[in-house]
Amino acid sequence: MNFSEVFKQSNQLCRVSPDGKYLLRVTVWSLCTKAVSYIKYPKACQKGIDFSRDGCYMALAERRDCRDYVSVFVCDDWHLLRHFETETQDLAGVEWSPNGCVLAVWDSCLEYKVLLYSLDGRLLSTFSAYEWSLGIKSLAWSPSSQFLAIGSYDEKVRILNHITWKKVTEFDHPATINNTKAVVYKEVERKPVVGSPDLSIQQHITMGSTLFNTQSKYEICPLPVQVPVVKPDLDRANPKVGVSSMAFSSDNRYLATKNDSMACVVWVWDMQRLGLLAVLEQTSAVRCFQWDPRRPRLALCTGNAKLYLWSPAGCVSVQVPAEGGFQVQSVTWHCSGDSLILLGKEQLCLCYMEVGEEEDDIK
């Protein structure tokens, strides 16, 4: 990606025209030439702007005369490459495939519709799973661009293939897990006892003021397992239901998902056998999860002072040795996969992965 450009989508910046109409615009600032470019008519929506992985193209959702459009710009000189109308009622987002060949466009949650466009604006395919109900809530490409995962309000994930753009399979999020090929890990908490032989002198020194924090570990639960479900209030806006978060591992082998009505649970799916592989049940709602960019290793947080890691070898809970009531709100991996940043409300913590002969540990 060309980091000489700073891109700023100023949907909050409005200029008033003489006739009293408000005009939204995108402002592009160049740190090299100090030039400024303006792009009119951006649509304020869930994800109205997206850059291709190589930084060559930018797709921008637009709204003109009560119709949805997409403009594709070349990032080198910001000239318009393609401009086309989309077959959407109320466009909600755009996202490039990792190889930059296909642009996914999806409608608002009131209509289940995903449209796949080529770089030159040709409509490749349209997918709709059902009608007359809340539709798409999230979308994720696999790193190889071979699969497109669509998360819906009906609590299912549908996987499309890149050849026919038809559904390969769909994943449910059942309240009762009895799949014998899946492993259910449940977080179990306990309070450390001062003077306990379980805590070494080094641990006492390292943990400091966090000594009296609740410790936790994972236990494997025998099947069947009942997953905690919170019934959403469908009379309120944005009900806590449906698949809101999805992410593929860097090797395309695994898919992690979160269903909002089961906020404490992360589901890990095996994309080779197209089935459930593991379920992580936390004691608190999952705030964020992200895959290691180099290895099949998933990091997640739940708003407490712990970092959780999953890999095909198992799960681990790590206490963050930070003072002042540090609570992890989100995690971000370094591109090398050797370190990650834990972000709190007012603090951050940098963690390094210590690579051993058999497994990776946290420093």
Side-chain angles (χ1 to χ4, degrees), residues 336-357:
S336 66
D338 296 332
S339 60
L340 60 140
I341 291 178
L342 312 181
L343 293 176
K345 292 182 178 179
E346 299 179 351
Q347 298 173 302
L348 65 83
C349 179
L350 181 60
C351 297
Y352 293 93
M353 308 300 294
E354 187 176 77
V355 181
E357 295 182 359

Side-chain angles (χ1 to χ4, degrees), residues 27 57 98 113 158 188 205 279 332 349 359:
T27 306
Y57 306 105
K113 181 186 287 187
R158 292 167 176 86
V188 178
I205 296 174
V279 177
T332 302
C349 179
E359 59 181 3

Side-chain angles (χ1 to χ4, degrees), residues 21-37:
K21 295 181 179 179
Y22 287 89
L23 301 177
L24 297 178
R25 69 181 183 185
V26 174
T27 306
V28 184
W29 307 81
S30 172
L31 295 181
C32 296
T33 65
K34 299 183 180 179
V36 181
S37 300

Side-chain angles (χ1 to χ4, degrees), residues 95-235:
E95 185 167 335
W96 289 102
S97 62
N99 61 12
C101 295
V102 180
L103 180 68
V105 177
W106 63 96
D107 221 320
S108 71
C109 62
L110 298 180
E111 183 171 353
Y112 195 119
K113 181 186 287 187
V114 178
L115 303 108
L116 289 311
Y117 291 94
S118 63
L119 184 60
D120 59 3
R122 289 182 296 110
L123 179 61
L124 301 175
S125 185
T126 301
F127 178 77
S128 179
Y130 52 80
E131 296 180 327
W132 316 117
S133 184
L134 291 179
I136 299 169
K137 192 166 188 176
S138 59
L139 183 145
W141 286 96
S142 66
S144 65
S145 303
Q146 293 178 307
F147 296 107
L148 178 63
I150 305 171
S152 311
Y153 279 89
D154 67 348
E155 303 183 340
K156 294 182 180 181
V157 175
R158 292 167 176 86
I159 307 296
L160 308 186
N161 73 83
H162 74 297
I163 298 177
T164 63
W165 300 114
K166 302 298 183 182
K167 185 180 72 173
V168 176
T169 189
E170 65 181 33
F171 298 141
D172 294 323
H173 296 79
T176 302
I177 302 172
N178 51 20
N179 187 338
T180 57
K181 295 183 179 180
V183 180
V184 180
Y185 298 93
K186 184 175 183 178
E187 182 187 8
V188 178
E189 294 183 337
R190 64 181 178 86
K191 288 281 188 179
V193 180
V194 178
S196 170
D198 294 337
L199 294 177
S200 65
I201 295 177
Q202 181 62 35
Q203 286 176 310
H204 278 269
I205 296 174
T206 302
M207 292 174 65
S209 63
T210 65
L211 176 62
F212 298 98
N213 288 347
T214 301
Q215 306 299 300
S216 68
K217 64 177 182 178
Y218 283 105
E219 293 183 352
I220 297 178
C221 299
L223 301 178
V225 175
Q226 190 72 25
V227 176
V229 179
V230 177
K231 187 176 181 181
D233 185 358
L234 299 179
D235 294 330

